[in-house]
Amino acid sequence: MLDKIEIGKRIAFYRRERNITQKDLADYLHISYQAVSKWELGKSLPTIEMLYEISNLLNVTVDMLLNENGWKNRCITYRETGLDSQKLHALKKQIMEFNSNDECILSADYADACLFRIDTTQMREPVYSCAVCVPGSKERLAKDCGYNREICADAAANAMNHLLQHGTKPVILKAIAACGSYDQNQLYLMAREFQQLCERNGVSFAGMEIAAQPGNYGPGEYRVSATAIGVQDREKVLTGKHLREGDILIGMKTEGIEGTSFPFVKVMLEKNPELYRARIDQDRFFLDELMKPNIAFTREITALQEAGYLHKAFRIGNALLNGRSWKGMPEGLGACIDLETLPIMPLYRFLFDQERIGENVFSYHFNMGIGMVAAVPEAHWRDAMEIIGMFSECWRIGRVESDRHKDVKVWSKGQIRWR
């Protein structure tokens, strides 16, 4: 026997789910809304013919209205949350094909721990390192303007460089993208970018996990991060103990702009929106140059270590003359940067020409296109330049001197030659 109260409860539930009023339902069925009210209160039942019409309007089956088991097994689907779990599952399976197929990665299934091993048999006392990097405020512009692959490469390169400044070689990288209902083709290309950067730097790729969170991120939003793990024999870790007065500082070229410097550029863009479409020169757009990813200096640092020329490496963060970029400089020593030797790259000349930041403080806001600095013995600086030059552009930009500035780790001499 049909239970009028239960059937009425189900009609009311699915009607409200579809944001349909009693009057809307009544108008559709060409009856009075009082009749609908009686059904939902369990005082009467619709005819079989009307049940079919009701089910069509409410996008449910007649069985869902009449069958007790169907009602008790009702649930909220992932699709209702804004997530197509089947498509996401298929994408994750595709992306897993990018995982490195080597002896290092034992297991890197999505939504699970990464199992790996690192060969340290040639090391007397292995020291492990780990760095997690996010792109910073630069990521918002990447989302808004479609530089999704570039921002992934940027995060990965920064994670590797955090390890390299200590002399530890990156071995494994794992990426994650937290997002809403994001374009699946773009996610695929973002994972591919992580994989390609790892391949170029001899790093095993443990995949990109996709954390789909439609409740926390809108349809066009995402957040990426990269975790790098490295190892080095303790005696080869760069602590700064080998630095000496007279060591030569060699700057290595990087692209784009450091994420921590982006707020200054954001102010420029807000005050002059024309910059979004501006050209640096006939061949290059400003945004394209701005959003180029940082360079990972794995080959350069490894080659210098193998040659025995590297006393210390400094990852230059948001600014060349910012003391935080010179972590590991021993007490009593500092970096003297000769501003006249700095290369004037088109991106930074363009930023300087906006006349928002004065000449005397510009290098306190930007890294000037120097992503990493190697401190090498004075007797071998030309050999070191030759080694670095096999992989990157580089310049002799200064030297290690006695600290005569009361614990100031970096200072400058000369003036930047803007013209």
Side-chain angles (χ1 to χ4, degrees), residues 136-154:
S137 55
K138 185 177 176 182
E139 189 176 42
R140 171 55 63 182
L141 185 63
K143 292 178 228 179
D144 292 344
C145 298
Y147 294 91
N148 307 311
R149 297 173 64 181
E150 289 83 353
I151 207 67
C152 292
D154 200 68

Side-chain angles (χ1 to χ4, degrees), residues 102-106 115-119 171-172:
D102 56 32
E103 295 182 355
C104 184
I105 305 295
L106 301 179
L115 306 181
F116 61 90
R117 61 184 176 189
I118 301 174
D119 183 6
V171 178
I172 298 166

Side-chain angles (χ1 to χ4, degrees), residues 1-26:
M1 183 175 177
L2 297 177
D3 188 324
K4 292 186 290 186
I5 292 177
E6 290 300 318
I7 293 172
K9 186 192 298 184
R10 293 166 204 163
I11 292 173
F13 174 81
Y14 290 120
R15 175 182 60 75
R16 287 192 291 267
E17 282 284 285
R18 305 295 185 268
N19 292 317
I20 296 173
T21 66
Q22 286 185 342
K23 186 176 185 306
D24 291 336
L25 181 56

Side-chain angles (χ1 to χ4, degrees), residues 368-412:
M368 304 302 295
I370 304 294
M372 185 80 76
V373 173
V376 302
E378 187 173 17
H380 297 289
W381 74 268
R382 289 184 177 84
D383 298 321
M385 289 271 291
E386 187 174 340
I387 289 172
I388 298 169
M390 292 188 296
F391 311 105
S392 299
E393 285 189 73
C394 59
W395 303 270
R396 174 175 169 165
I397 63 170
R399 61 189 289 135
V400 176
E401 295 182 357
S402 296
D403 181 5
R404 300 183 296 274
H405 299 267
K406 296 182 180 180
D407 297 324
V408 176
K409 293 303 177 186
V410 59
W411 57 89
S412 65

Side-chain angles (χ1 to χ4, degrees), residues 160 164 169-170 196-203 295-300:
M160 293 180 192
L164 290 165
K169 186 180 185 304
Q196 289 179 333
L197 186 75
C198 287
E199 193 174 76
R200 289 196 297 272
N201 286 274
V203 175
I295 303 297
F297 298 100
T298 308
R299 296 170 299 177
E300 294 86 341

Side-chain angles (χ1 to χ4, degrees), residues 203-341:
V203 175
S204 294
F205 182 51
M208 184 182 86
E209 172 60 16
I210 301 172
Q213 302 172 15
N216 295 328
Y217 296 90
E221 294 184 335
Y222 63 81
R223 186 77 186 271
V224 295
S225 66
T227 300
I229 295 170
V231 67
Q232 185 56 276
D233 207 336
R234 184 166 185 170
E235 64 183 14
K236 296 181 180 178
V237 173
L238 301 176
T239 61
K241 66 181 180 181
H242 297 298
L243 276 171
R244 299 289 183 269
E245 184 174 6
D247 280 353
I248 301 302
L249 300 174
I250 301 174
M252 305 178 208
K253 180 183 177 181
T254 192
E255 300 283 2
I257 194 169
E258 181 74 18
T260 50
S261 293
F262 181 72
F264 304 119
V265 178
K266 183 173 181 291
V267 171
M268 294 182 186
L269 290 167
E270 289 172 348
K271 292 184 178 297
N272 183 10
E274 291 297 317
L275 291 178
Y276 282 102
R277 298 177 293 277
R279 289 179 180 268
I280 286 178
D281 53 36
Q282 189 173 1
D283 301 318
R284 289 171 289 192
F285 283 94
F286 171 54
L287 279 191
D288 289 342
E289 294 299 304
L290 188 71
M291 296 303 295
K292 283 184 176 178
N294 199 354
I295 303 297
F297 298 100
T298 308
R299 296 170 299 177
E300 294 86 341
I301 296 300
T302 301
L304 287 174
Q305 284 181 298
E306 290 175 351
Y309 294 152
L310 189 60
H311 283 176
K312 186 73 177 78
F314 299 94
R315 188 191 74 84
I316 305 302
N318 63 327
L320 184 62
L321 296 184
N322 188 316
R324 290 193 298 273
S325 295
W326 299 90
K327 292 178 182 178
M329 184 68 72
E331 186 176 351
L333 295 176
C336 178
I337 305 301
D338 185 353
L339 297 180
E340 292 186 3
T341 67

